[in-house]
Amino acid sequence: MLKIEFDTYPFRIESRNGVQYIFDLVRKRWIILSPEEWVRQNFLQYLTQQMNYPSTLIAVEKEIFVGDLSKRCDLVVYNRDSQPWMIIECKHMKEVLSSKVIKQILIYHQSLPAKYLVVTNGSYTAGFAKRNNAFEPIDVLPQYDQ
């Protein structure tokens, strides 16, 4: 497991008709603040604010196709050549990071090959690096320029 400690980020949150919304700085729009969205927004801020990943090279809810099915990757980080570098799957804090979650991100990897795969529920985070055609666990998230 990776140790991720989120700072306190200055999120823009507002309530409309009893529903909370959060402003997504990458998508530049208001999003319903679901438990999964809370994890996604915290992880996005962690990447950009603490790890200095360039927000211009991060896609949020990137649409991909797995066969004929349309799916969405929570976060995709691209390298400077616009190639997928890292896929991040976010789950709500109560969801266990099970083999089902790992299988989901591996399926996404088939359509969007990336060097790194990360799954998180905000409390726990697991990361994997592709080496020699296999994924190995990593202890820390890589610096962006690697």
Side-chain angles (χ1 to χ4, degrees):
M1 288 287 162
L2 299 171
K3 179 132 173 90
I4 305 289
E5 292 187 25
F6 298 125
D7 277 347
T8 303
Y9 305 112
F11 293 113
R12 290 173 50 198
I13 297 174
E14 66 179 40
S15 185
R16 299 181 204 157
N17 299 320
V19 177
Q20 285 196 312
Y21 288 80
I22 189 166
F23 190 77
D24 183 310
L25 294 173
V26 171
R27 292 181 277 183
K28 307 235 185 299
R29 62 186 173 109
W30 291 93
I31 306 295
I32 292 176
L33 183 54
S34 67
E36 183 177 314
E37 190 64 44
W38 180 248
V39 172
R40 183 172 28 245
Q41 291 300 317
N42 271 278
F43 207 83
L44 182 57
Q45 291 300 312
Y46 175 78
L47 292 175
T48 58
Q49 302 299 316
Q50 290 176 247
M51 295 293 293
N52 296 315
Y53 284 30
S55 63
T56 55
L57 295 177
I58 298 175
V60 181
E61 290 201 323
K62 167 73 176 162
E63 184 178 28
I64 62 167
F65 288 91
V66 178
D68 292 336
L69 298 175
S70 172
K71 300 288 185 180
R72 293 192 182 275
C73 296
D74 284 313
L75 301 170
V76 178
V77 181
Y78 292 89
N79 64 21
R80 298 199 188 281
D81 294 325
S82 300
Q83 297 301 309
W85 182 70
M86 180 183 288
I87 302 171
I88 301 147
E89 179 60 26
C90 301
K91 298 298 182 185
H92 62 81
M93 294 181 100
K94 292 182 181 177
E95 186 164 344
V96 175
L97 299 181
S98 64
S99 59
K100 180 181 173 185
V101 175
I102 304 296
K103 184 177 179 180
Q104 179 183 359
I105 202 167
L106 287 171
I107 289 170
Y108 292 172
H109 180 265
Q110 291 174 357
S111 294
L112 197 65
K115 182 175 181 176
Y116 296 99
L117 302 180
V118 175
V119 294
T120 185
N121 65 7
S123 298
Y124 299 98
T125 303
F128 306 90
K130 189 168 188 179
R131 296 186 182 108
N132 301 323
N133 292 323
F135 282 100
E136 299 174 4
I138 56 176
D139 295 330
V140 295
L141 280 181
Q143 294 299 315
Y144 181 75
D145 289 329
Q146 289 184 340

